[in-house]
Amino acid sequence: MRPLPSSPAEELALLERELIWLDTRRAQLLRRRAWLKAALRAQPAQGWQPPHGAPGGWTHAPAARPAPAVPSGSATGGPGAQHVLLILGGLLLAVAAIAFTLFSWGELGIAGRSVVLAGVTAGALGVPVLLLRRGLGATAESVGAVALLLTVLDAYALHAAVLPEADGAGYAAFASGVLAAGWTAYGVGVGRLRLPLPAAVVAGQLPLVLGAWAAGGSALVIGWALLATAAGSVVVAMRVPGLAVRATAWSGAGATWAGGLLIGLGESVSASGPLDAAGPGALLLGAAAVALTAVWRAPREMAVTGGVVAGLAAVAGVGGVLRTEVPWSWAVVVYLVCGAALAPVARIAVVPRAVRGGVLGAAAGVTGVAVLAVLPSAAAGLLGPAAVLTGVWGGAPGGAREVAAGAGAWPDALSVPVVLLVAAVLLGAVYASLVQEGREPTGWTAAAGAGAVGLVSAAVPVLLVTADVAYAAALAVDLLLVAGLLGAAVAGRRVPEAAKVTALWCAVAVAAHAGLLALAAEPATYAVFGLLLVLFAATAARSGEVVARSLTLVLSVVCALVVASAAGASLELGAPRTAVLVLAVPAVVVVLGLWVRTPAVVVPLEAGAGFGALVALGLAVTDVAYLSLVLALCGVLATATAVRPERRPGAGYLAAGLFALATWVRLVSAGVTHPEAYTLPVSVIACAVGLLRRRTDPEASSWAAYGPGLGVTLGPSLPALWSDPHWQRPLLLGAAALAVTVTGAVLRLQAPLLLGGGTLALVALHELAPHVAQVFDALPRWSVPALAGLLLLALGATYEQRLRDARRLREHLGRMR
């Protein structure tokens, strides 16, 4: 049993503890009630189950520990409520002050106004001191904010009533300076208020700028005012303690510095001479100095950023002066050289490492922007010789520019290759310095080396076109560059892997440029593509990389195809006869494949041979007789490829198909209307050979044994069927197809079953086509979509059954030979 309280204070504390315990118990009961309601709602649907996340039974939570007694004299509100009240009070006072200034000021005389100004301002500024002494810091901050606002209103009232003739901008500059000084003194004097000093920093951003504006200064004067303000803010941010003051000073410094920088950039770009650009250049250099000063001892991320912007500002300042002395097309070169001049900063040990990294980043950024600026013109110079395709062998031009000028796609300025070469030299110097420091040729180091190789490879062909180098000299330089790049691609460990890959693909691009230039003259075509053939073949022989070897082998075959096609054109053979000459290249490649037998070499050779065969077919397609000959020769090449055991299945089927197709095309070219007289004996002999093979090799496929023989007759007969108006051919072909189909089904042979069934279906379609057309003509138009819809509904309703039937049919065909 609890003892009775001995005093009212103890009894009050006891009651408060009991009330807290009751509130806790009530909350537990409410949670239990909600859980029971959820259980009752879930019971009719799926039987009673505990709701997810709820306790499974009645558990009494332990009673909350009684809270300690609250002293009777303590406040009941938290600090949040106090801040809200103080803020509302301060706002009400500010509104009252504004209303008084706007509406009641004119009703007072000079003396009254002076008394009100002095009294209200002094009172507002003095009250926070008294409040701080009593420990009421939050209240002092609110009253201090109102006091600062009152000083601003006093300044406005003074201008409106006493100095109405004063210039607005000049008075604002003077007033902001006075307020900044006064708020600084007030904040330092009071000490414990947090708002006056940041407010003084904000006010300090205005005097110089407003003063320059009021004095009618030019854009440069305003820019210098902004820059000086930024410098002062930087000093405050670096020297004055206090997080709020430093954050405000850094924000103000960034805003005013950016304003000055933008003014300098605008004036520098629009300058028409060195004297006009000198002022903006000096402003930009000043901006760079301020940025470096601000980040000299800053953390790494901030120091790198400051180094980047300082470097860019310096490049813009110096480059803006120098570019006025050169044509506009060379301005990119000027800025690029100025960016390159930042590189020696990396060797200055006094400069912090992070700042040096930022400055080098600015140099890299300038280089990248310069390359991107000339990239469209460089692409035009590289692709310009493609215009020669409209007039191959038009005659040897006087210069390389003449080849590209047919399409008007060459750049006018020599600055384009100069930019590419300067950027390549810079990247090469970076790569050399990093390697000299002991860096591994990976990552950014390898990227620098690869970038240098790529830029040089692009710059040389563009330079040949833009400088209008003599035609023969341009071809010689291109070939030398291809040889050098291919040598670098197979240089072994002396060259980083990224640089080797870049050199390989750049060699392909430069070879294409040289090949396009060579197509302008007949002797140049033979010389250039012959040398390219030798270079690519030698590279393939030396290379140990699969990609490099495969690519160079294929390109060797392509160059040989070009030489063979050019030979046909020189001999005036015409496209169909040239196709036979072009097939000599795949023939040589197939022989090499039989001799080498190395998969890494054979596969690209076969790919090149296949491409050559397609080229030959494309050349012979206009003459049916030569097309048949080319198909037969391709079949011979496929047969030779099938000699190798690993290529026998695919090449054998391909050879059979090519021979059959060659036979059909030859029959069409000869005007034969009854091809069965020629194909049926071949089919009988081929099927007899297939039967003998099946007896000696029961595992042989029916496609290899009977497919070619059946296809030789069934293939030509089907086209003849659709052009034959008589009934004998459909009857005989349908009977033969039925016999072949039944034979394949009985003997479980896949090729006869599918070939015969397909032919029989086409014969039936040929016979039923006229009647089906008559039926469709007699039916109303709506019946066709209606029947199609019914068919789709039936298929959808029995989809699963049809799917099972299709699977069983596929399995049954798969078990056939």
Side-chain angles (χ1 to χ4, degrees):
M1 189 173 177
R2 295 181 180 178
L4 294 177
S6 59
S7 66
E10 293 182 2
E11 184 177 359
L12 178 61
L14 179 61
L15 290 176
E16 288 180 351
R17 287 195 294 270
E18 294 293 337
L19 289 173
I20 292 173
W21 184 86
L22 290 175
D23 289 338
T24 304
R25 186 60 178 164
R26 184 173 183 274
Q28 295 173 354
L29 294 175
L30 289 175
R31 286 196 298 270
R32 181 63 181 177
R33 184 180 67 173
W35 179 82
L36 291 173
K37 286 183 177 181
L40 291 175
R41 284 194 298 268
Q43 184 175 0
Q46 53 184 359
W48 185 87
Q49 291 180 355
H52 180 68
W58 178 268
T59 57
H60 290 278
R65 180 179 298 177
V70 182
S72 58
S74 63
T76 59
Q82 180 185 15
H83 290 165
V84 171
L85 294 176
L86 292 174
I87 292 172
L88 289 177
L91 290 176
L92 291 176
L93 286 176
V95 170
I98 294 173
F100 171 78
T101 303
L102 294 177
F103 301 109
S104 302
W105 180 261
E107 299 178 0
L108 300 175
I110 297 298
R113 295 173 183 175
S114 302
V115 171
V116 171
L117 282 172
V120 173
T121 305
L125 293 174
V127 167
V129 178
L130 299 176
L131 293 174
L132 288 174
R133 291 178 180 177
R134 297 179 61 90
L136 302 175
T139 308
E141 291 287 348
S142 300
V143 177
V146 174
L148 298 181
L149 179 60
L150 286 176
T151 56
V152 177
L153 296 176
D154 291 344
Y156 169 75
L158 183 63
H159 177 266
V162 180
L163 302 171
E165 298 83 5
D167 178 65
Y171 180 80
F174 174 77
S176 58
V178 172
L179 288 176
W183 289 349
T184 302
Y186 180 68
V188 173
V190 175
R192 293 172 58 188
L193 289 180
R194 290 175 292 181
L195 187 59
L197 290 179
V201 173
V202 174
Q205 309 300 313
L206 304 176
L208 290 179
V209 180
L210 294 177
W213 184 18
S218 62
L220 282 179
V221 173
I222 295 177
W224 280 109
L226 287 168
L227 193 60
T229 303
S233 299
V234 168
V235 173
V236 171
M238 296 176 65
R239 298 295 180 86
V240 178
L243 179 61
V245 176
R246 300 179 69 177
T248 307
W250 281 123
S251 301
T256 52
W257 182 88
L261 180 69
L262 292 177
I263 291 175
L265 288 175
E267 294 294 318
S268 177
V269 171
S270 61
S272 58
L275 294 179
D276 293 338
L283 179 61
L284 291 171
L285 290 177
V290 171
L292 287 177
T293 303
V295 300
W296 195 263
R297 299 185 182 279
R300 174 176 175 78
E301 292 77 9
M302 190 174 178
V304 172
T305 304
V308 170
V309 296
L312 294 177
V315 170
V318 178
V321 177
L322 298 178
R323 62 95 187 160
T324 58
E325 295 294 328
V326 298
W328 183 253
S329 59
W330 288 86
V332 179
V333 180
V334 171
Y335 285 110
L336 178 59
V337 173
C338 293
L342 296 176
V345 176
R347 300 293 183 180
I348 304 177
V350 179
V351 181
R353 185 181 183 86
V355 177
R356 280 184 284 166
V359 174
L360 290 179
V366 172
T367 304
V369 172
V371 172
L372 291 177
V374 302
L375 196 58
S377 298
L382 288 171
L383 300 178
V388 76
L389 296 176
T390 59
V392 178
W393 290 1
R401 179 181 294 182
E402 186 178 341
V403 180
W410 49 271
D412 296 328
L414 285 173
S415 60
V416 175
V418 172
V419 168
L420 296 177
L421 288 174
V422 172
V425 171
L426 292 177
L427 288 177
V430 170
Y431 173 78
S433 63
L434 292 177
V435 172
Q436 188 177 4
E437 292 177 0
R439 300 281 188 89
E440 292 292 331
T442 57
W444 289 108
T445 306
V453 173
L455 290 174
V456 169
S457 304
V460 172
V462 174
L463 180 62
L464 297 176
V465 175
T466 54
D468 198 16
V469 177
Y471 181 68
L475 291 176
V477 172
D478 268 350
L479 290 174
L480 289 175
L481 181 59
V482 172
L485 291 172
L486 290 177
V490 294
R493 296 183 179 180
R494 293 174 295 174
V495 179
E497 189 65 28
K500 289 196 293 185
V501 174
T502 305
L504 176 63
W505 290 103
C506 289
V508 175
V510 177
H513 184 268
L516 291 174
L517 287 176
L519 291 177
E522 182 178 358
T525 301
Y526 287 107
V528 170
F529 280 98
L531 288 175
L532 289 177
L533 170 61
V534 173
L535 289 175
F536 285 130
T539 304
R542 291 184 54 194
S543 177
E545 298 291 334
V546 176
V547 175
R549 183 191 299 120
S550 301
L551 181 61
T552 50
L553 283 174
V554 172
L555 291 175
S556 302
V557 176
V558 172
C559 292
L561 291 173
V562 174
V563 173
S565 301
S570 298
L571 297 174
E572 298 181 355
L573 299 178
R577 294 182 179 181
T578 303
V580 180
L581 185 60
V582 168
L583 274 180
V585 176
V588 173
V589 171
V590 169
V591 173
L592 287 177
L594 294 175
W595 177 56
V596 176
R597 290 180 175 266
T598 302
V601 177
V602 171
V603 172
L605 285 177
E606 289 178 345
F611 178 74
L614 292 177
V615 171
L617 290 173
L619 291 173
V621 74
T622 57
D623 191 313
V624 182
Y626 276 97
L627 179 61
S628 173
L629 176 60
V630 171
L631 286 170
L633 293 176
C634 290
V636 172
L637 296 179
T639 303
T641 305
V643 171
R644 299 201 307 274
E646 68 275 8
R647 293 289 186 268
R648 187 165 297 161
Y653 294 145
L654 179 61
L658 288 172
F659 283 132
L661 188 59
T663 303
W664 302 341
V665 173
R666 185 60 183 171
L667 292 175
V668 172
S669 66
V672 175
T673 57
H674 297 83
E676 292 82 3
Y678 300 91
T679 60
L680 191 57
V682 177
S683 294
V684 172
I685 296 173
C687 289
V689 173
L691 181 61
L692 292 176
R693 181 182 177 184
R694 289 273 297 175
R695 288 184 176 180
T696 57
D697 184 12
E699 297 297 324
S701 171
S702 61
W703 288 98
Y706 306 113
L710 295 175
V712 167
T713 297
L714 296 179
S717 297
L718 285 174
L721 171 69
W722 288 91
S723 59
D724 190 352
H726 304 290
W727 59 271
Q728 292 87 354
R729 188 189 301 275
L731 177 61
L732 294 176
L733 183 60
L738 178 61
V740 171
T741 303
V742 172
T743 303
V746 172
L747 299 179
R748 301 177 62 82
L749 298 176
Q750 191 179 106
L753 177 63
L754 295 181
L755 291 176
T759 304
L760 185 61
L762 292 175
V763 171
L765 179 62
H766 173 267
E767 294 302 308
L768 294 176
H771 305 288
V772 173
Q774 293 178 1
V775 171
F776 275 105
D777 289 338
L779 290 175
R781 293 177 179 268
W782 57 265
S783 60
V784 177
L787 292 173
L790 291 175
L791 177 62
L792 291 177
L793 288 175
L795 290 176
T798 59
Y799 173 76
E800 296 295 336
Q801 182 61 37
R802 302 287 79 77
L803 188 62
R804 287 192 293 269
D805 294 341
R807 288 173 179 170
R808 283 196 294 269
L809 177 61
R810 184 183 64 184
E811 294 173 358
H812 181 68
L813 290 175
R815 288 192 293 269
M816 293 182 176
R817 298 301 301 172

